[in-house]
Amino acid sequence: MRKLKRSARLVEMTQYLLYRPHSLIPLTTFAERYQAAKSSISEDLAIVKEVFEAEGIGELHTLAGAAGGVRFIPKYPKSAAIELIRKLCVMLEQPERILPGEYLYMSDILGEPSIMNDVGKLFATAFADRDIDVVMTVETKGIPLAYATATYLNLPVVIVRRDSQVTEGSLVSINYVSGSSRRIQTMSLARRALKEQSKVLVIDDFMRAGGTVQGMMDLLQEFKATVQGVGVLVESEDVQERLVTDYVSLARLSGVDIKSRRLTAVPGNYFDDKDVMK
């Protein structure tokens, strides 16, 4: 890269960091990239760090030593997070979202890139301190949510299939009980899709009793993998017995009246006991 003025270097360096979250970048990489001294690079990074933290963009961690460098950790400010979820709750409360069988229409929300981008960054913030290798979801509605989250964690995505696909090769399949319909269903995952003993973050768009999430957790046992966290965009509060208890939800349906076509949505357990709710 040609030698840049400092102002241009700061812009390019910022973009470089934003596109490589959770990656350790040696100072020599920047020094060689911009043909600048390490001392100048360190001064630039101090400026970027100050702006990132002041504007709530994220944190810039510096690791000293020969093998050190800098690592950008995206963060979603608590005040902005609660504002985002309150807007999402207003959208969820629209009467026309109630479908026959007490299902909730969410495809328009899951198909909106700006919303998924923000929600993905929020999940990445919630699980930033976990040791994770991959993000897992089940097809199909959870896919955009998983990819948005994985983007900010800089991790690959693994998709569990409900039906076997010839193009997937050898599969591991299990039967599980759907939490909503109580029916026996099947999910599968290609053997090549996940390495054994992987550390996995499970992401799903909606959870009632948790049958689908529990199914994914059972499937992971076949790979000797461990679940490092479970993130759910929307959970239903009207459940007598939940199969999964350790999870993070961003929104919660606290009341659904089919007859009057009214439902109430509130922030999920991620915001429980947080000062941001005041």
Side-chain angles (χ1 to χ4, degrees):
M1 176 177 286
R2 63 186 179 85
K3 193 174 182 63
L4 301 173
K5 293 182 179 180
R6 188 177 193 185
S7 57
R9 190 171 69 212
L10 281 168
V11 172
E12 212 282 334
M13 181 183 292
T14 300
Q15 184 184 39
Y16 191 95
L17 290 166
L18 289 173
Y19 276 90
R20 293 164 179 82
H22 289 269
S23 296
L24 182 61
I25 304 171
L27 293 186
T28 53
T29 298
F30 286 130
E32 295 171 359
R33 183 178 179 85
Y34 305 124
Q35 302 176 41
K38 286 186 179 180
S39 58
S40 298
I41 296 299
S42 295
E43 292 174 359
D44 292 348
L45 289 170
I47 295 173
V48 174
K49 174 183 175 67
E50 181 180 354
V51 174
F52 276 8
E53 295 181 356
E55 298 301 319
I57 297 172
E59 301 172 355
L60 199 60
H61 296 175
T62 302
L63 284 79
V70 294
R71 179 182 284 117
F72 168 56
I73 309 297
K75 294 287 185 179
Y76 207 102
K78 292 181 180 178
S79 57
I82 190 60
E83 182 180 351
L84 166 68
I85 298 305
R86 281 174 174 159
K87 289 181 179 179
L88 178 63
C89 288
V90 171
M91 298 177 66
L92 291 171
E93 289 178 340
Q94 296 170 345
E96 58 269 24
R97 293 194 179 278
I98 300 178
L99 301 174
E102 300 186 23
Y103 289 101
L104 186 69
Y105 181 78
M106 292 174 52
S107 295
D108 59 331
I109 295 175
L110 296 169
E112 182 57 54
S114 62
I115 296 177
M116 289 298 97
N117 182 68
D118 286 340
V119 170
K121 188 174 183 180
L122 184 48
F123 270 136
T125 301
F127 298 104
D129 60 343
R130 310 287 179 93
D131 184 13
I132 304 169
D133 296 321
V134 300
V135 177
M136 171 184 279
T137 192
V138 64
E139 62 178 3
T140 55
K141 293 181 180 179
I143 293 177
L145 187 57
Y147 271 101
T149 303
T151 295
Y152 285 102
L153 290 173
N154 198 20
L155 294 172
V157 175
V158 172
I159 301 173
V160 177
R161 305 293 182 183
R162 297 186 186 275
D163 299 310
S164 60
Q165 302 285 334
V166 176
T167 54
E168 295 291 302
S170 178
L171 300 170
V172 175
S173 300
I174 66 164
N175 294 325
Y176 71 101
V177 180
S178 172
S180 56
S181 62
R182 308 302 299 177
R183 293 182 302 173
I184 301 295
Q185 298 188 16
T186 301
M187 63 171 59
S188 60
L189 183 63
R191 292 187 181 276
R192 297 182 181 180
L194 185 68
K195 295 180 180 179
E196 285 197 352
Q197 300 182 347
S198 292
K199 295 177 282 290
V200 181
L201 171 63
V202 174
I203 295 292
D204 205 6
D205 62 303
F206 186 85
M207 183 172 74
R208 185 166 287 163
T212 300
V213 172
Q214 184 60 55
M216 283 190 278
M217 295 170 70
D218 292 342
L219 182 59
L220 286 172
Q221 292 183 12
E222 301 297 321
F223 289 83
K224 299 181 177 62
T226 57
V227 178
Q228 296 295 92
V230 176
V232 179
L233 177 58
V234 181
E235 66 166 313
S236 175
E237 191 175 59
D238 186 22
V239 177
Q240 293 182 346
E241 182 181 1
R242 201 181 298 279
L243 300 175
V244 179
T245 57
D246 187 9
Y247 62 92
V248 171
S249 67
L250 300 185
R252 178 187 294 136
L253 293 183
S254 60
V256 179
D257 189 328
I258 302 299
K259 185 174 295 185
S260 63
R261 300 187 66 78
R262 291 183 180 179
L263 61 160
T264 303
V266 297
N269 65 20
Y270 177 70
F271 301 95
D272 290 352
D273 302 321
K274 291 185 181 289
D275 293 337
V276 71
M277 292 295 293
K278 295 180 180 179

